[in-house]
Amino acid sequence: MKNFRLSALLCCVSLCGFAACSDDKTDDQPEPQAYQVTQFESSTIPASIPGEGGGYKLTFVIRTETRSTGATFEPWAYRLTLGDAVGDAVTVTKPTTEIAITIPPNRSKEERGVAVEMASGVKAETWTKIVEATQEGSLKDYQVTKFESTTIPATIPAGGGDYDVLFRLEVETRAAAPLFVAWQYRVTLGDAVGDAVEVTEPTEKIGIHIDASESVEERAVIVEMAEVAETPVWTKIVEATQEAGRKEYEVTEFESTTIPASVPFAGGDYEVKFRTKIETRATPQFEPWQYRLTVGEAVGEPVVVDEPTESVAVHIGANYSEKEVDVIFETAAASQTPVWTKVVEAKQQAGMELLGGFYWTKSNVSVKNDRFVLADKPSDSGLFFRHESGYGVPSDEATYAGTAYTPAPVQIAIDAIPQNEGVDPCSLIDPALRMPTYAELSELYYGEDVQRTQDGVTGMGYTGVSLFLPYCGVMSTETGTSVGKSTFGGYWGLGGDFHGNGVIYSLNGEIGYSLLDYDAVGTNMAMVRCVRNVPQPKYVMHTLPETVDYKAFSLNVETDPGAFTYYDVTVWGDDGTLTQTGATDARPQVSVGIPKNDTKQDRTLRLFVNHIYTGVEFVQPAMTDYALYVSHTPASAEYGAFTLSVTCDSDMASFPVVVKGSDGGEWSGTGSKENPTVEIAIPENTGEERTLSIWVNGVDTKKTVKQGKQVVPLVYSVVWSEGYLTVRDGAYVFAAPKERGMYFKYKSQYGFALPDPLESKPKYGGVVYGPTATEMAYADIPYGDTDPCSLVAPAGTWRMPTADELIELTSEGSKEFVVDTYRLCSDGEQDVYLVPSGQSTGSSLMLPTASLMWSSDAGDAGKARYLAWSNTATSKPMVSSGGTSQANSMMVRCVRAK
């Protein structure tokens, strides 16, 4: 190692270029002046610096020299060099007597030179070493042993033998002095793990002896090595197989499989392949073996294979659960106590999903290999069916080709396919499945989320789940054509209505609706989506009153709720009468109210539980001793006396007809089955308008006649402007009678126009008229200080109407009404047309189809009273008492004194 010494470089090194000291002068030198220079003094850096480096100090002295310039400090610089790496210069611009130097670790095995240099001036052009040293390397060499090769073959003869395992020594650079790392090895034969053998000095070869195999099976041979440690970590360096020590046997080994790692929920048919090989044993023969398939918790029966076989077929059924299940294929030798070995492991996807308390299959009913199955993907349409029919028709045919599936293929005409035959295609797949009931389909109906597309097929998605029902279209049983795929479709449910029309859940993405109802058309085929076959509500018994006549009565029904928490109990009549009540698992006994039979025909009633017919049917007789209202005339009457004629239908010899007035008056007559029309004299109405109610045989028919009051013609107390206030040619004028005017804030000089159509709720455009056009922000339009009607020429003649004058204007109602156009108020002398106009907030228009206008009366704080009249024939005018914000804008109608 080369040693360097520290160089003092004290007095004879100055910062004026580091020249040798001298007192000589020449005659032409300037007058000497004082000058401050820096000189190196000492350093704590040792001659041999440790490899990890460290922090050190350099000290300096400040000396004054006499020079020709004025007294000043001479700047200087220093830099650190490590090996070949020259550091950046650091400039010192003021007197400094101590500098800290940090020398980083030497991350190598070799030593390196360390030097500190200094130079004068800011530019630092000439450098002088002031410190020289050597830094040791921080890394050392270790000798470690690595596996290199072996003479052990991949297949070791049954008789064993002697072999070598070769190693090489490698030097690893570490932080300590070079040393040898002790190691160990061991040999494992089959299940017998050998003892560890330690190696404590450099070794390039060890001898390995492998005993002869006395087994009928081959065995694994493994050589491992590890560093000597209390808990060694073993590494395999040799892996081989030793042949069996007997004669030729033909044995079978697993080779490959088509079973995927993730098996679809719908299952499928797969293959497991094997190969046979000869093993040396006592007598040549084929070794029988067996296999079994486990899916979830169901362990399949072993199947014995007693001849050479290259593959076996494996069928994995659909997973009718909401959980992923394990799929395991195992093999074993054919024996009474087999030891099973897993050769295939996979997962089968869940085939069902929970929605609304019920589990739904992820795909529709399809057919494969003459079996009804679940379609492979949620987006697959599957088969078309008629309601509760065992005949499925392919949905990928634009026109029916003549073959249906039961599930075996059969030739049948499309219009001959039966329906409502009580067949559930889901139960033909597996007893664990069935078609959904009305209650279960209701959960789909209410769980709809958003229309979406899957595999290029459009359908319906559902809230919180990945469930997807494709729009599969429908197939007509009249024409055999399929239409509507990716646009609409239907899904059947169990049960139907009184007439046997099947339950169906319809989806239509084209016009955006869904419907849960009964298929009254009966000529379309739809899809089937299955649910888990949990017990359904069932009918147990019912109790009828001792006597059933046409009058209303209650039917008591006892049910078994099964696995349902809520379901309907329904009584349906052949005349369309339907009464329904809800039953629950906590209240399975319910009472269904049957209304009276107010017809002249017997009514047949049927009992349904969860929309499925129970087979219970009974008859409610036609009514007797009846008197039924049929019609009356006139429909309305003026205030004068008139005759009210009431026509009835009755089987009675006599029945009363009574007319009751809202003012307390009452008039009557008598009818019979021979004379069913009763004429009743109604006297003149001398009071307010009254309502005459018609009662037949003591029953309110809910039919009425309005008899008007005597009307004294109303004359308006003021003259109304012919139209709304507007601006034309720079002046305030009145618009035509049926035209819109301008919009004003309450008592504002400024008005503005709104464009059509009002239904689009137009915004204020930024221009107001006062009456001159002016650009102004809506918020800046002043209000509350000017009656805009007073600005109509001649000024001061016209004014805004009071709230009472608006009430007077509209008190007689509309004399004429045209939807979306106008309504007419009139006193016989003046015609005032009101048009739809709404109320503007500047940013929008409220009630664009209603007629609104300001009164001159203020309302509650910051509000004003106004007229509002909705644009419907039966609506009534309203003049607000509290008012609306004065900052809103409405149209203005003006009045003047007569």
Side-chain angles (χ1 to χ4, degrees):
M1 180 181 293
K2 189 174 181 181
N3 291 320
F4 291 89
R5 63 182 179 83
L6 294 175
S7 298
L9 301 178
L10 296 177
C11 297
C12 290
V13 179
S14 75
L15 298 180
C16 297
F18 294 89
C21 298
S22 173
D23 291 332
D24 293 340
K25 292 183 179 180
T26 60
D27 291 338
D28 56 352
Q29 287 181 330
E31 185 67 24
Q33 301 289 335
Y35 204 88
Q36 288 182 303
V37 293
T38 304
Q39 289 184 332
F40 170 71
E41 183 177 50
S42 64
S43 169
T44 62
I45 298 174
S48 179
I49 303 169
E52 62 272 15
Y56 303 96
K57 293 181 180 179
L58 278 67
T59 59
F60 299 85
V61 294
I62 308 299
R63 185 171 60 82
T64 301
E65 290 186 356
T66 301
R67 299 192 183 180
S68 58
T69 59
T72 185
F73 174 76
E74 174 71 13
W76 61 283
Y78 67 91
R79 68 184 181 186
L80 175 67
T81 298
L82 300 173
D84 295 329
V86 179
D88 295 333
V90 180
T91 302
V92 181
T93 59
K94 61 182 178 179
T96 302
T97 59
E98 185 177 279
I99 291 174
I101 294 287
T102 299
I103 298 177
N106 179 9
R107 302 298 187 188
S108 72
K109 296 187 295 182
E110 304 298 330
E111 65 182 18
R112 65 182 176 184
V114 177
V116 181
E117 300 172 281
M118 64 185 296
S120 65
V122 176
K123 294 185 178 180
E125 296 176 345
T126 303
W127 293 92
T128 300
K129 290 181 182 178
I130 58 175
V131 178
E132 286 186 278
T134 302
Q135 185 178 16
E136 299 174 346
S138 63
L139 303 180
K140 306 299 181 188
D141 290 335
Y142 269 56
Q143 283 183 301
V144 294
T145 304
K146 302 284 186 179
F147 166 73
E148 184 167 74
S149 62
T150 181
T151 59
I152 298 174
T155 300
I156 301 167
D162 295 306
Y163 304 95
D164 293 330
V165 179
L166 303 180
F167 302 85
R168 66 181 181 274
L169 292 176
E170 292 183 358
V171 176
E172 289 188 354
T173 303
R174 303 188 182 182
L179 54 83
F180 173 78
V181 178
W183 59 285
Q184 55 188 332
Y185 67 91
R186 67 184 181 186
V187 179
T188 298
L189 302 176
D191 296 327
V193 181
D195 294 331
V197 179
E198 290 189 9
V199 180
T200 58
E201 59 184 23
T203 301
E204 294 185 347
K205 182 172 74 173
I206 59 172
I208 299 290
H209 176 74
I210 299 175
D211 293 330
S213 170
E214 298 298 326
S215 171
V216 296
E217 305 289 341
E218 65 182 16
R219 65 181 177 182
V221 177
I222 298 172
V223 182
E224 301 166 281
M225 66 182 295
E227 288 189 4
V228 176
E230 187 172 338
T231 55
V233 178
W234 292 97
T235 301
K236 292 179 183 179
I237 57 174
V238 177
E239 289 185 270
T241 302
Q242 186 175 17
E243 298 173 344
R246 297 292 173 87
K247 299 295 182 180
E248 291 183 347
Y249 268 55
E250 198 170 8
V251 295
T252 304
E253 291 181 335
F254 167 74
E255 184 173 73
S256 64
T257 181
T258 60
I259 299 175
S262 180
V263 179
F265 63 84
D269 295 300
Y270 305 99
E271 187 178 33
V272 180
K273 293 185 177 181
F274 299 86
R275 58 177 177 269
T276 56
K277 71 172 188 177
I278 304 299
E279 289 189 353
T280 303
R281 300 186 183 178
T283 305
Q285 66 181 60
F286 174 77
E287 177 73 8
W289 59 284
Q290 56 187 329
Y291 66 88
R292 68 183 183 187
L293 177 69
T294 299
V295 180
E297 301 297 324
V299 181
E301 290 295 323
V303 178
V304 175
V305 180
D306 53 11
E307 61 183 19
T309 300
E310 293 186 350
S311 71
V312 296
V314 176
H315 174 73
I316 300 175
N319 178 13
Y320 304 126
S321 77
E322 70 281 9
K323 297 179 180 178
E324 183 181 67
V325 297
D326 293 321
V327 177
I328 299 172
F329 186 90
E330 299 171 285
T331 62
S335 66
Q336 291 185 344
T337 57
V339 177
W340 292 97
T341 300
K342 295 178 183 178
V343 297
V344 178
E345 290 186 86
K347 297 282 188 182
Q348 185 176 18
Q349 302 163 4
M352 305 196 84
E353 218 171 343
L354 181 65
L355 175 66
F358 302 101
Y359 285 98
W360 297 81
T361 60
K362 289 187 176 180
S363 63
N364 294 343
V365 177
S366 186
V367 68
K368 185 183 295 183
N369 299 329
D370 293 347
R371 291 188 305 189
F372 284 139
V373 297
L374 295 180
D376 290 338
K377 297 183 297 183
S379 57
D380 291 344
S381 294
L383 297 173
F384 282 125
F385 290 88
R386 300 194 79 177
H387 184 250
E388 293 187 12
S389 171
Y391 289 77
V393 173
S395 59
D396 55 0
E397 298 175 352
T399 303
Y400 177 58
T403 301
Y405 294 85
T406 61
V410 296
Q411 299 298 307
I412 185 172
I414 188 72
D415 57 358
I417 294 177
Q419 64 177 333
N420 298 325
E421 58 179 344
V423 177
D424 182 346
C426 294
S427 66
L428 298 179
I429 297 177
D430 191 280
L433 302 177
R434 61 168 167 76
M435 289 170 62
T437 64
Y438 191 98
E440 288 162 324
L441 286 173
S442 295
E443 299 298 339
L444 282 184
Y445 178 80
Y446 291 112
E448 291 171 8
D449 182 16
V450 65
Q451 179 175 290
R452 57 189 175 91
T453 300
Q454 190 166 319
D455 302 322
V457 177
T458 305
M460 179 60 71
Y462 296 84
T463 302
V465 295
S466 63
L467 201 66
F468 176 74
L469 265 64
Y471 297 155
C472 304
V474 296
M475 177 173 281
S476 169
T477 55
E478 295 177 335
T479 64
T481 55
S482 174
V483 295
K485 189 166 186 177
S486 276
T487 302
F488 56 82
Y491 287 83
W492 292 119
L494 291 174
D497 61 9
F498 183 94
H499 301 289
N501 299 315
V503 171
I504 191 166
Y505 171 48
S506 301
L507 293 161
N508 192 316
E510 189 171 50
I511 59 178
Y513 83 89
S514 63
L515 189 67
L516 180 56
D517 206 344
Y518 300 89
D519 178 36
V521 178
T523 58
N524 286 325
M525 305 183 79
M527 296 297 160
V528 174
R529 178 64 65 95
C530 305
V531 295
R532 179 174 291 170
N533 188 15
V534 299
Q536 300 179 61
K538 293 187 296 185
Y539 161 81
V540 176
M541 62 175 294
H542 72 281
T543 304
L544 284 169
E546 291 185 7
T547 300
V548 176
D549 56 22
Y550 75 93
K551 298 184 181 68
F553 67 94
S554 292
L555 174 69
N556 295 317
V557 182
E558 182 179 343
T559 62
D560 177 356
F564 282 57
T565 58
Y566 179 87
Y567 50 96
D568 291 324
V569 177
T570 306
V571 176
W572 219 318
D574 59 351
D575 59 352
T577 303
L578 182 145
T579 54
Q580 189 173 77
T581 189
T584 68
D585 52 353
R587 189 174 62 89
Q589 292 181 323
V590 295
S591 178
V592 184
I594 309 300
K596 73 174 182 179
N597 183 3
D598 55 2
T599 71
K600 291 181 283 185
Q601 285 79 37
D602 289 348
R603 173 191 288 160
T604 300
L605 298 168
R606 290 177 178 174
L607 176 63
F608 294 74
V609 174
N610 200 24
H611 296 261
I612 296 177
Y613 179 42
T614 62
V616 174
E617 180 178 291
F618 53 92
V619 175
Q620 184 181 23
M623 65 178 178
T624 57
D625 297 328
Y626 61 87
L628 303 177
Y629 163 87
V630 176
S631 64
H632 73 274
T633 186
S636 63
E638 297 295 334
Y639 73 93
F642 71 98
T643 298
L644 177 62
S645 179
V646 181
T647 299
C648 302
D649 179 16
S650 177
D651 66 346
M652 302 174 67
S654 175
F655 60 88
V657 177
V658 178
V659 177
K660 299 179 180 182
S662 57
D663 59 354
E666 188 170 301
W667 307 270
S668 63
T670 302
S672 66
K673 61 182 178 182
E674 290 82 11
N675 298 295
T677 299
V678 180
E679 294 186 343
I680 301 172
I682 307 298
E684 178 182 330
N685 180 16
T686 58
E688 295 297 316
E689 179 185 72
R690 64 184 174 188
T691 301
L692 305 175
S693 300
I694 302 173
W695 293 65
V696 174
N697 200 27
V699 176
D700 185 1
T701 66
K702 307 299 182 183
K703 304 298 181 180
T704 61
V705 175
K706 295 288 187 181
Q707 186 178 18
K709 69 176 181 177
Q710 188 173 7
V711 178
V712 178
L714 172 70
V715 177
Y716 296 147
S717 61
V718 292
V719 175
W720 287 85
S721 61
E722 66 172 351
Y724 292 97
L725 187 60
T726 188
V727 171
R728 188 180 302 118
D729 299 328
Y732 278 115
V733 295
F734 299 124
K738 299 177 184 178
E739 291 180 351
R740 288 204 321 270
M742 302 190 80
Y743 291 78
F744 294 81
K745 292 185 178 181
Y746 175 69
K747 288 190 175 180
S748 174
Q749 174 183 342
Y750 297 93
F752 60 88
L754 288 179
D756 288 323
L758 293 184
E759 287 74 11
S760 67
K761 299 183 178 181
K763 299 179 181 180
Y764 166 63
V767 176
V768 293
Y769 297 84
T772 304
T774 305
E775 291 187 0
M776 187 181 301
Y778 185 83
D780 296 335
I781 299 174
Y783 59 90
D785 57 1
T786 302
D787 183 336
C789 291
S790 67
L791 304 178
V792 177
T797 304
W798 295 89
R799 61 175 174 80
M800 294 169 64
T802 65
D804 288 341
E805 288 164 346
L806 289 176
I807 294 172
E808 179 186 76
L809 172 69
T810 58
S811 62
E812 288 303 300
S814 176
K815 297 296 189 298
E816 186 179 356
F817 175 74
V818 178
V819 175
D820 297 333
T821 304
Y822 63 84
R823 67 171 71 243
L824 170 62
C825 296
S826 177
D827 65 353
E829 297 178 359
Q830 297 186 65
D831 292 340
V832 180
Y833 291 91
L834 305 180
V835 299
S837 56
Q839 178 180 174
S840 176
T841 62
S843 60
S844 183
L845 185 68
M846 299 182 290
L847 303 173
T849 61
S851 300
L852 290 89
M853 73 170 77
W854 286 118
S855 80
S856 60
D857 297 345
D860 295 340
K863 298 182 179 180
R865 301 179 68 185
Y866 66 100
L867 166 70
W869 202 345
S870 175
N871 189 34
T872 58
T874 58
S875 66
K876 302 296 183 181
M878 182 275 292
V879 177
S880 68
S881 58
T884 189
S885 171
Q886 296 180 10
N888 290 343
S889 298
M890 287 184 278
M891 292 201 298
V892 173
R893 200 66 172 257
C894 301
V895 298
R896 63 176 172 80
K898 282 191 171 182

